[in-house]
């Protein structure tokens, strides 16, 4: 069960980081047996945002790309499935070009980036994965015509350039990356949204805990728990700044509103204006109660029921 929670986090995370730079489809369906691509990315023809801020991930996203992240080490069968998706996308693009009587350049075909925490030497050699002299360790390129590579996240060097990919690792690699992220200035691009996504991951793991939950996930829950307080304090400070001229209490309330509405939108989807107004009318004490209650919400109906209970 928790694997699917981590998979959804990876898709949401890549989508949020890449959407300023191009069209992101997560998931995307291809023909054949209705296979689902985790993230299909097409960069904007003219970039207005600085993609170098994403380090190695930004470099991978300078061309059309398919990202297939795995929580557990990718198996031979799973990698074959990824390659099949790549070929199906390539075939679909060629058919579209033929219908339009146009030619498609090789550079317009997407590259496949398989993101796996670890990989055995046997698996890598089975796909003829090789390191490149001009590339970082941990990136194993498959034969050139395939336009694909296996990125072994736990082999990536611990440098700022790889941070955004190491956050998709697991165990000590992921926890160290979280520590690095938490140490960054809060106004640095992607820090706030990544912390929000990590906190949402923590909520989902906590709610779906079972006696069989992995020790690694229990440790991740504990590591992420303080990020909630950090995110809460940041939102409060934003509210205090916005409401400075209206008094400290009003600023505190605005900070709580900002945080709660943001969390609700992530948990149950975008809310209509009437629900947002109801939340904004709540006093600070009830906003804090709502912050705890929303951990168990699964739909807009849960929010509506809660609001009726306190009205």
């Amino acid at each position: 069960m928790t694997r699917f929670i981590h998979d959804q986090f990876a898709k949401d995370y890549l989508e949020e980081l890449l959407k300023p730079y191009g069209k992101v489809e997560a998931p995307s369906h291809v023909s054949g047996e209705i296979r689902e691509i985790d993230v299909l990315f097409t960069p904007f023809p003219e970039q207005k945002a600085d993609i170098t801020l994403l380090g190695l991930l930004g470099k991978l996203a300078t061309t059309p790309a398919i990202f297939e992240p795995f929580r557990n080490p990718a198996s031979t069968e799973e990698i074959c499935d990824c390659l099949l998706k790549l070929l199906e996308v390539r075939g679909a693009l060629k058919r579209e070009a033929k219908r339009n009587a146009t030619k498609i350049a090789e550079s317009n075909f997407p590259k496949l980036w398989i993101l796996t925490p670890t990989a055995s030497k046997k698996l890598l050699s089975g796909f003829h994965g090789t390191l490149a002299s001009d590339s970082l360790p941990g990136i194993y390129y498959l034969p050139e015509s395939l336009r694909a590579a296996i990125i072994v996240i736990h082999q990536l060097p611990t440098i700022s350039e790889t941070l955004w990919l190491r956050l998709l690792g697991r165990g000590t690699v992921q926890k160290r990356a979280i520590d690095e992220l938490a140490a960054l200035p809060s106004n640095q691009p992607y820090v706030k949204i990544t912390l929000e996504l990590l906190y949402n991951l923590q909520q989902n793991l906590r709610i779906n805990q079972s006696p069989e939950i992995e020790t690694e996930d229990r440790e991740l829950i504990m590591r992420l728990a303080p990020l909630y307080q950090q995110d809460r304090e940041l939102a409060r400070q934003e509210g205090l700044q916005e409401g400075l001229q209206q008094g400290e209490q009003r600023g505190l309330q605005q900070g709580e509103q900002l945080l709660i509405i943001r969390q609700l939108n992530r948990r149950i989807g975008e809310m209509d204006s009437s629900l947002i107004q109801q939340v904004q009318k709540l006093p600070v004490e009830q906003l804090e109660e709502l912050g705890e209650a929303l951990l168990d919400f699964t739909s807009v109906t849960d929010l509506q029921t809660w609001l009726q209970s306190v009205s």
Side-chain angles (χ1 to χ4, degrees):
M1 177 64 180
T2 59
R3 180 173 67 85
F4 297 106
I5 294 173
H6 285 288
D7 288 348
Q8 189 58 52
F9 162 74
K11 293 175 187 177
D12 292 343
Y13 170 72
L14 289 171
E15 180 179 6
E16 288 292 341
L17 264 59
L18 294 173
K19 68 182 183 182
Y21 308 104
K23 180 182 178 182
V24 183
E25 299 174 70
S28 175
H29 296 280
V30 292
S31 58
E33 298 181 8
I34 314 300
R35 301 178 189 278
E36 187 174 278
I37 294 172
D38 283 342
V39 177
L40 176 61
F41 175 75
T42 307
F44 294 134
E46 295 183 6
Q47 286 291 349
K48 296 182 179 180
D50 184 6
I51 202 167
T52 61
L53 295 171
L54 293 178
L56 176 58
L57 177 59
K59 290 181 180 178
L60 305 183
T62 55
T63 61
I66 292 173
F67 293 96
E68 291 285 338
F70 288 89
R71 171 65 177 173
N72 298 320
S75 67
T76 297
E77 288 301 318
E78 287 171 326
I79 292 177
C80 287
D81 191 49
C82 290
L83 290 169
L84 184 54
K85 295 176 191 177
L86 174 68
L87 295 175
E88 287 175 340
V89 170
R90 186 182 180 97
L93 290 172
K94 290 178 68 175
R95 289 191 294 273
E96 182 180 0
K98 186 175 181 179
R99 285 195 300 269
N100 298 330
T102 58
K103 290 185 178 181
I104 181 169
E106 185 70 18
S107 60
N108 287 332
F109 289 116
K111 292 183 178 180
L112 170 64
W113 305 104
I114 299 170
L115 311 176
T116 179
T118 60
S120 68
K121 290 182 179 179
K122 180 179 179 181
L123 181 140
L124 293 169
S125 64
F127 288 99
H128 294 278
T130 57
L131 297 168
S133 58
D134 59 348
S135 183
L136 290 173
I139 306 176
Y140 294 84
Y141 294 91
L142 305 194
E144 185 177 356
S145 296
L146 286 176
R147 294 177 62 82
I150 300 171
I151 299 180
V152 184
I153 295 174
H154 291 193
Q155 292 184 18
L156 293 174
T158 306
I159 55 178
S160 59
E161 185 179 356
T162 65
L163 172 61
W164 305 106
L165 286 179
R166 286 186 288 113
L167 282 165
L168 293 174
R170 57 184 302 167
T172 56
V173 170
Q174 186 180 45
K175 285 187 284 185
R176 179 167 181 173
I178 291 172
D179 291 340
E180 293 174 37
L181 176 74
L184 293 174
S186 60
N187 61 350
Q188 189 162 324
Y190 309 113
V191 170
K192 180 182 289 187
I193 186 60
T194 302
L195 287 174
E196 288 180 18
L197 289 167
L198 284 168
Y199 176 58
N200 194 52
L201 170 64
Q202 188 256 1
Q203 289 182 66
N204 289 327
L205 287 173
R206 187 186 67 82
I207 290 170
N208 289 278
Q209 282 191 71
S210 66
E212 296 79 26
I213 188 173
E214 295 181 23
T215 300
E216 186 177 299
D217 279 332
R218 286 199 185 93
E219 293 175 352
L220 182 58
I221 290 172
M222 293 175 63
R223 175 61 191 90
L224 291 175
L227 295 182
Y228 169 68
Q229 294 301 329
Q230 180 177 336
D231 192 37
R232 191 185 189 92
E233 183 59 29
L234 285 172
R236 283 181 172 179
Q237 291 301 320
E238 290 176 11
L240 285 170
Q241 291 297 321
E242 294 174 5
L244 191 60
Q245 296 180 350
Q246 303 174 41
E248 183 174 342
Q249 183 63 24
R250 176 59 179 163
L252 177 62
Q253 187 171 4
Q254 287 181 334
E256 289 285 351
Q257 290 171 358
L258 179 65
L259 174 63
I260 297 301
I261 290 172
R262 207 163 57 204
Q263 292 174 344
L264 283 168
N265 282 333
R266 289 214 165 272
R267 188 131 198 96
I268 62 176
E270 293 293 328
M271 298 182 295
D272 61 36
S273 58
S274 63
L275 280 176
I276 293 175
Q277 290 173 6
Q278 290 182 62
V279 172
Q280 290 174 332
K281 291 178 181 178
L282 295 173
V284 173
E285 294 77 12
Q286 288 186 338
L287 284 170
E288 292 178 347
E289 292 175 11
L290 178 55
E292 294 295 328
L294 67 81
L295 299 178
D296 298 317
F297 291 178
T298 58
S299 67
V300 172
T301 303
D302 292 330
L303 172 61
Q304 293 170 330
T305 301
W306 188 91
L307 290 170
Q308 289 174 359
S309 71
V310 297
S311 59

